[in-house]
Each structure stands twice: as C-alpha cells, then as structure tokens.
Amino acid sequence: MTQINTGDRWVLLRGLMREQRHWGRFPATLARALPGATIITPDLPGNGTQHAQDSATRVSRMVESCRQELLARGIAPPYRLLALSLGGMAAVEWAHRYPHEVACCVLVNTSMRPYSPFYRRLRWQNYGALLRQLLLGDARSQEALILRLTSRRHAGGNPALLADWLSYQQQYPVSRRNALRQLLSAARYRAPLTRPAMPVLVMAGAQDRLVDHRCSQRLARAWQADCLIHRDAGHDLPLDEGEWLAQSVARWLGVEVTNHAAAGQSSCG
C-alpha cells in the first residue's frame, strides 16, 4: 500500500482504437472512490476527438501529444496515471521520460517487451478473426468483435452497448490506417528494464481473451510492483468490474472505502 493524496489530477489513458467515451461510467465511479480527485480522459491521436490526426507510430509520440494537450488546457503536473492496454505503454513511457510529472501509475491489462512474447501480448488464437476483420469487416462487425474479445461480462452480446460503440465510431471514425499505426506502435514498444521510480500497481483480468493476463504478472514480478488480478474479469476491466477496480485503487492509496468489492480478487503471486 502507498499513501498518496487523492485530491489531485488522475489522467486515464485508453487503448487501441478506443476513446474517452469508452470509459463509460468508470470516471464517475473512480471519482466517488477518490473524493476530491479530478479525472481527465484525453484521447490519443487518431482516436475520438483526435480522430482526424495521424496516430503515432511510436509510444513516445503519444506521450508528447497527451502532455501538450494537458498543458494547453492548463492542467499541470503532477499526474496520477491509470492506463489500459496500449495506454499502459504510454503511461510507462511517460513515467520513464518525465518522472517528475508522474506521482503513480496504475497499469491495467497491459503487456510489453521484453517481459512477454508477442503471442501472449496478443493471443495467437485471435489472429484469424482479427485478419478477417481487417480484410472484410465493417464498423458493426468490428465493434462486435472488440466487445467479444475485451469483455467477459458482455461477451455474449449487449445490443445497447454495441449501439453506443457504433455511434462513437460513426461520429469519430478510426481509420484503418490509424488502427495499423497504433498496432505498429504497440508492437515495436520496448519498456525500460527498470521499474518507474514512483509507486506502480499492476492489475488484470484473468479471463482476458485479448492479452494473456500472465503478461501483467510477469511485469509486476520483474518490477516488484504491487499486483491484483480479478479472477472473473476480461481485458476491459473498467467495463467488467469498474467498481472493484476503483475501490482497489482507493485501498492501494490508503483511502478508506465502505464497499470492499473484493469478490474475485487475487494477488499476482
């Protein structure tokens, strides 16, 4: 456990082809768990409000884009970073390059070289479905596939949620070119061999169909970082178990919580 003032700025970073609206209710859930905290949800280049921009082909460029946006909005460091998947790589790079700007990192279902091989960082069982989608799919099939691969709770389908996701894609379309650029940035990213200087919490869902949750375990062990696994959640942990995620972060920070929401929890040991 680490003691950190919660009345500060939390920056939430999403993953591949996702934007700030894909956080759903989670920012409000996190705000309730961390009284006084300010929650900021910037979009990475190529996604959401930044969909007309070229996506970065280097994680370091994603970091610079986020830093510039926050500073332009008058949001100064230090920041607390909570990041999912590709966003986790950006958080690690941010903490490595600018440690004075980052007070702590919560890394959710992320994976990176050199700690895990490529076939665990993107499960090999999905290569066929992803290739078919890339060559033949449309926006509706894309969002349905993403939901199936990233959510355990909604893997069987959720028409209302899919309708929302499809409307996001129609309003702020992520081009195929930008999707490939984001994949390239994730594939080529190599994390530092030493853990960031600030406190780090690694979290994962054991039922992740997209990324093997052992990637999170290996990262936490290599860095001797705190680690929590939810036995029943999938890749999109904020969607599947947002209350558990928020309250687990609060407890890690030393914040007293009334609803423990500990069902399904285990350590990385």
Side-chain angles (χ1 to χ4, degrees):
M1 179 181 293
T2 183
Q3 295 286 338
I4 298 176
N5 178 16
T6 59
D8 227 315
R9 291 164 286 278
W10 281 82
V11 178
L12 276 52
L13 301 174
R14 287 289 309 196
L16 182 73
M17 299 175 61
R18 303 288 87 179
E19 55 149 285
Q20 56 187 279
R21 289 178 292 184
H22 288 105
W23 287 112
R25 299 188 183 95
F26 180 71
T29 301
L30 185 63
R32 287 194 301 271
L34 302 176
T38 299
I39 313 297
I40 305 118
T41 56
D43 287 325
L44 296 176
N47 299 336
T49 57
Q50 311 295 327
H51 76 284
Q53 296 185 21
D54 282 343
S55 291
T57 56
R58 294 282 184 184
V59 169
S60 59
R61 296 307 306 161
M62 296 180 186
V63 172
E64 297 305 329
S65 176
C66 286
R67 293 179 70 243
Q68 292 169 14
E69 178 185 346
L70 294 177
L71 292 175
R73 292 167 59 182
I75 303 170
Y79 309 119
R80 280 72 170 149
L81 305 181
L82 187 152
L84 172 65
S85 197
L86 174 59
M89 300 181 197
V92 169
E93 186 67 10
W94 198 335
H96 177 63
R97 285 176 173 257
Y98 305 102
H100 59 286
E101 294 185 359
V102 179
C104 71
C105 290
V106 178
L107 308 176
V108 181
N109 279 322
T110 194
S111 63
M112 55 198 77
R113 296 187 301 161
Y115 302 104
S116 296
F118 72 92
Y119 55 86
R120 287 186 178 168
R121 295 175 59 211
L122 182 62
R123 285 182 179 271
W124 64 267
Q125 295 92 335
N126 299 320
Y127 292 174
L130 293 171
L131 182 60
R132 285 193 298 273
Q133 175 60 42
L134 184 65
L135 296 176
L136 304 172
D138 57 16
R140 185 175 297 278
S141 63
Q142 169 187 293
E143 296 305 312
L145 176 62
I146 292 173
L147 183 61
R148 179 169 63 83
L149 293 181
T150 60
S151 175
R152 168 73 182 279
R153 182 181 292 271
H154 303 285
N158 183 324
L161 183 61
L162 276 176
D164 286 343
W165 286 9
L166 186 60
S167 72
Y168 304 161
Q169 173 67 1
Q170 290 169 340
Q171 182 181 8
Y172 294 143
V174 180
S175 68
R176 184 166 298 180
R177 178 174 181 271
N178 272 341
L180 290 172
R181 288 172 70 91
Q182 292 174 42
L183 278 169
L184 175 61
S185 68
R188 73 197 321 182
Y189 181 65
R190 187 177 182 88
L193 293 177
T194 56
R195 59 166 285 171
M198 66 291 301
V200 175
L201 172 62
V202 178
M203 305 183 75
Q207 304 305 316
D208 190 340
R209 294 183 177 93
L210 187 66
V211 176
D212 194 320
H213 77 280
R214 288 175 291 183
C215 296
S216 291
Q217 290 177 317
R218 290 175 65 91
L219 180 65
R221 288 170 185 158
W223 284 355
Q224 296 184 325
D226 296 326
C227 183
L228 291 173
I229 303 292
H230 195 289
R231 292 190 296 271
D232 301 319
H235 186 73
D236 196 336
L237 193 53
L239 174 62
D240 280 0
E241 297 292 342
E243 190 72 35
W244 176 85
L245 174 58
Q247 295 204 22
S248 295
V249 170
R251 283 195 300 274
W252 180 66
L253 296 172
V255 178
E256 184 176 350
V257 294
T258 55
N259 176 11
H260 292 287
Q265 175 178 311
S266 64
S267 68
C268 285

